[in-house]
Every structure is written in structure tokens, then in C-alpha cells.
Amino acid sequence: MASVSTQPQFRYTQPPSKVLHLRNLPWECIEEELIELGKPFGKVVNTKCNVGANRNQAFIEFADINQAIAMISYYASSSEPAQVRGKTVYLQYSNRQEIVNNKTAADVAGNVLLVTIEGADARLVSIDVLHLVFSAFGFVHKITTFEKTAGFQALVQFSDQETATSAKDALDGRSIPSYLLPGHLGPCTLKITYSGHSDLSVKFQSHRSRDYTNPYLPVAQSAMEGNGQSVMGLDGKRLEAESNVLLASIENMQYAVTLDVLHMVFSSFGPIQKIAMFDKNGGLQALVQYPDVQTAIVAKEALEGHCIYDGGFCKLHLSYSRHTDLSIKVNNDRSRDYTMPTAPPPAMSVQPSVSGQQQAPMTGPPSQQYNTAQYAPNNNQNFIPQSQAGWGQAPPAPHSMQQQQQRMHHNPYMPPGTMPPQGGPGMMQYPGHIQ
């Protein structure tokens, strides 16, 4: 027999079988192409595509062994080889008598769906949009999103298989309604299969994962992917998960920062529930808890990068903490729970001296709560109006050295023994602070 290839098109080494082994197939050959190749000889009942390291092999199974023999015999005597997409395909009997396709997770119905979002802007679809789409079919327990070679994907967990199946049947192949997406996003199509998971593990609430059954789960400190890469927003900045607890790092600490100083600074934006101070990496840090996220957002935007004292001393750097409720076991000079009725007022605390002197009682302003309305300008020339943010610039200097020394002497936020004898920076002016 004349052959167009130097390699034999079929082999006689295997006894006849209704399963044929095909080699030298085009890249990512699909099932329909295999069925079309075997159709002239009988009914193809099963296939297995993309086998082997190069994914260029496959198996086809006929309903009857005589159909497989007919195909091998035809191409053994034909001058035209079997071809798929113009490539010569090599045939032989398989050593298996049937193709056993182990069912994948995608074929087994479950309560967790694997969702692939297709579209140029797929990765910009928020987890809240996905929740809106899928919660139309029942209570969504958890959602996690991630990026794979297949694209931007999500796992959506329902209570049971029936709810997941109804969502899959209704949404598979459909596009996310445009009114749920920002105007600049293009069409985003959903491709849905079943996942092998039954209960997703969500450790933090973030813009990439959400557990709707546990409102007390900590909020992620940052929006980092599991692979360690940041997710960037449209403005090119890293997306950060917001929280009602702020993590404050204080640099250039030439003067002591006490718990009461922090309370005065941060209470300007709303009631403080708890504060915890601790030393880390050779510096002072503090966790400040507000009752809600919005108050924390306002405080962070106003205070980030500003200094507690004039002259660039005790500069604040703020980020959102993964915590949502601090655990304060005892009220002392390093931690305080202001929601406890037994908590002492801030003015009664004791402030340590950074120069090693003996601790002295600290007197401060009344333990009142401040609000942003107190940023309105008043007639006091030493008060910084809101247009100057109230935090970043020093107040106008007193007209005489005597006034300056008197001002520092009565400043309750300057620890004893830390000020130069002839003057130094004063504390920044805060809303409600009276000279």
C-alpha cells in the first residue's frame, strides 16, 4: 500500500477493539471533529480528546467492534490517509475495550458554582455585582473571586444543590445586566459549571471574598490576591478594604503620644469606641475603633500624613485594619474601652514621660466628643479653619516669648520634661481645644 507518510498509518500490534487510538491530531482537536471522522463507519458513542503531553492524541469508541474494524480496514487499503484539518492522523486499535470518562466536578451537581466572567472588563466586575445577580435565586452564603488562565472566575456558594442548579440554568451563557455595571464597562458574559467544593473557606471580608453568614469576620487589611499581587483600581491605585478600625503608625516621635492624645485627635470625627496602643518594629502603633466604617473613612482621609505636634513631630500614617472589634481586657495607659461604663475619662489618665522622669498626672480637656462641625472658623486667631484641614500647619506663633512659654506650659498634651526650656513646637490645634 502506498502511503503519503513515512510513518505507518495504522498498526497491527493490538488485537481488534471497538476503541481506536488516534495520533498526530491538530492542536486542541474537538469532539465534533472526531465524530465526523468516524461517522462513515458507524456510530461513535464516546470520545476522549486532547490526550498526551502534546494534547494531540485521542480515543474514539464505536457502538460495535465491527465498525472499528471497518475504519481500520478502509484506511489500510486506501491511498488517502485519515485527515483532520489537513493533518494525517495515525490509527490503531486501543488496548482498552471501552472509554471510561471519569466524571469531573463540572458534571456533578452541587451547591457551589464555578463562574467564569468573560469580557474585556471582566476583572472589574465587583463582588457586590455578583452577589446581586446570584442572590436573585436564593441566599448566597459565600463568594470568592480569583484569576486563572481561564480568566476572571468566582465561586458562589448556595445553601443547597437545587438553588445552585436553578441559578446555573438561568444564568449560564447570559450577560450581566448593563444597569448593574458602571457605564464604562463593556458586556460581561457568565459561563457557569458546578464546582467540586461544598463549603468555601473565607478568612477575611474583602473585595475579593465575602462570607454573608458571618458578619463578624475580620476585614482584610489590604486587597491582596492569594498569589501576592495587588488588585489595581481604574485610577491605578491599589484597592484597599475599608474597615471601622484604623491602624495608626506614628513616626518622628520627639514627644510622647499618649492614649488620651490619640483620643482627642481621633474623636474629632466621631465617637471612639476603643483604642489599643502597642510597640512594633521599633515604633508606636495604635488601633482606633469607630462605630462604623464611614466615620473611619472620614478620619483616615483627614489625618493621613499630618502631624500631631508642630514642626513635623509625631506624624500619622493610617491604614485600615483587618479587625472590626478590638478585644480590650483591661483599661490602662495603653488600651481603653470607652463603651464600658467603668472606663475612666480620658482626662484622668497618667501620661508617661519620654525623658525617663517620674510619671505625672495629665490634665486635659473635658472628655467630650467632637464632630466635624467644630471645624468651622471662629474668632480665635490661633484656630486653624477647616479650609486649612486643621492638622497640617502650625497655628500662628504667639506675639511674645512669654506668651509662647505660657502656651506650652499649659498645654496638657506636652509630656513633662520633653520641651526645650526656651520654647519648642506646640501641639496642633484640634477642634474644641481652648487655649
Side-chain angles (χ1 to χ4, degrees):
M1 181 199 74
S3 174
V4 296
S5 173
T6 57
Q7 185 173 358
Q9 188 183 354
F10 60 93
R11 297 175 180 174
Y12 294 104
T13 55
Q14 295 290 343
S17 167
K18 62 180 179 180
V19 178
L20 301 183
H21 180 202
L22 285 66
R23 297 174 291 113
N24 199 43
L25 288 163
W27 175 253
E28 292 188 347
C29 181
I30 61 176
E31 182 181 37
E32 287 75 11
E33 293 175 305
L34 299 179
I35 294 175
E36 189 67 25
L37 182 64
K39 186 187 295 184
F41 306 98
K43 182 180 180 180
V44 177
V45 296
N46 205 352
T47 64
K48 192 176 183 69
C49 306
N50 303 314
V51 178
N54 295 322
R55 300 174 65 83
N56 64 347
Q57 302 180 45
F59 295 93
I60 61 173
E61 178 183 345
F62 286 96
D64 184 80
I65 190 173
N66 292 322
Q67 298 169 347
I69 293 174
M71 185 173 183
I72 289 289
S73 300
Y74 173 81
Y75 286 112
S77 59
S78 174
S79 60
E80 295 294 330
Q83 291 187 341
V84 174
R85 296 188 215 164
K87 290 193 66 175
T88 297
V89 178
Y90 305 124
L91 309 174
Q92 70 182 79
Y93 294 115
S94 172
N95 58 4
R96 63 183 73 185
Q97 296 302 311
E98 64 177 348
I99 296 176
V100 178
N101 282 328
N102 295 327
K103 285 190 174 182
T104 63
D107 303 316
V108 180
N111 65 313
V112 178
L113 299 177
L114 173 62
V115 182
T116 302
I117 300 98
E118 297 180 344
D121 301 318
R123 66 187 298 271
L124 299 178
V125 176
S126 71
I127 198 169
D128 296 315
V129 168
L130 293 176
H131 182 258
L132 280 173
V133 171
F134 285 90
S135 61
F137 301 88
F139 178 66
V140 175
H141 283 222
K142 302 173 185 177
I143 298 179
T144 62
T145 62
F146 48 92
E147 292 192 55
K148 295 287 187 180
T149 54
F152 185 61
Q153 296 182 309
L155 290 170
V156 182
Q157 179 180 331
F158 286 99
S159 304
D160 50 62
Q161 171 189 322
E162 290 74 17
T163 308
T165 300
S166 64
K168 176 181 179 296
D169 293 343
L171 296 175
D172 187 22
R174 303 282 296 276
S175 295
I176 297 176
S178 58
Y179 61 83
L180 293 179
L181 299 172
H184 61 274
L185 295 189
C188 295
T189 305
L190 303 174
K191 298 294 184 182
I192 305 175
T193 61
Y194 293 106
S195 168
H197 298 280
S198 58
D199 187 20
L200 303 179
S201 175
V202 176
K203 297 181 179 180
F204 302 106
Q205 309 282 22
S206 74
H207 71 286
R208 302 307 298 269
S209 62
R210 203 72 57 83
D211 184 345
Y212 300 97
T213 66
N214 185 5
Y216 302 105
L217 200 65
V219 176
Q221 184 173 355
S222 62
M224 299 295 290
E225 270 281 30
N227 59 9
Q229 296 186 0
S230 300
V231 176
M232 309 302 290
L234 295 175
D235 57 357
K237 296 181 179 179
R238 191 184 73 178
L239 300 177
E240 186 178 15
E242 296 165 347
S243 171
N244 66 310
V245 178
L246 297 178
L247 173 63
S249 300
I250 306 170
E251 68 175 29
N252 196 19
M253 279 192 57
Q254 298 296 320
Y255 307 102
V257 175
T258 66
L259 189 145
D260 294 305
V261 169
L262 291 176
H263 182 272
M264 181 181 181
V265 171
F266 286 91
S267 64
S268 301
F269 303 91
I272 302 295
Q273 290 185 326
K274 302 174 184 179
I275 299 179
M277 299 170 59
F278 53 94
D279 297 311
K280 187 175 182 180
N281 300 328
L284 177 66
Q285 296 187 357
L287 291 168
V288 181
Q289 178 177 329
Y290 286 101
D292 56 78
V293 174
Q294 191 56 42
T295 307
I297 293 174
V298 174
K300 179 178 181 296
E301 292 178 351
L303 295 174
E304 168 60 30
H306 292 289
C307 302
I308 297 177
Y309 297 107
D310 295 351
F313 299 117
C314 302
K315 187 175 183 179
L316 292 170
H317 291 290
L318 303 176
S319 62
Y320 296 108
S321 169
R322 66 180 183 179
H323 300 283
T324 57
D325 189 18
L326 304 180
S327 176
I328 304 296
K329 297 181 179 180
V330 59
N331 288 321
N332 54 30
D333 61 350
R334 302 283 283 182
S335 62
R336 190 164 305 160
D337 184 347
Y338 297 95
T339 65
M340 295 175 58
T342 57
M348 299 302 295
S349 67
V350 175
Q351 176 176 346
S353 170
V354 295
S355 62
Q357 297 180 3
Q358 187 174 356
Q359 295 180 353
M362 172 180 168
T363 59
S367 58
Q368 64 188 57
Q369 298 295 341
Y370 302 97
N371 53 62
T372 53
Q374 293 171 297
Y375 276 82
N378 60 17
N379 295 327
N380 186 347
Q381 64 176 353
N382 289 334
F383 180 81
I384 300 179
Q386 184 176 2
S387 60
Q388 297 179 354
W391 307 99
Q393 302 179 13
H399 297 293
S400 68
M401 179 60 69
Q402 182 180 2
Q403 287 178 320
Q404 184 180 25
Q405 293 176 347
Q406 182 179 7
R407 173 172 171 263
M408 290 184 294
H409 176 73
H410 292 290
N411 193 326
Y413 299 100
M414 283 296 161
T418 61
M419 300 301 297
Q422 297 299 324
M427 185 174 179
M428 297 301 298
Q429 299 297 301
Y430 299 100
H433 179 65
I434 301 175
Q435 297 267 5

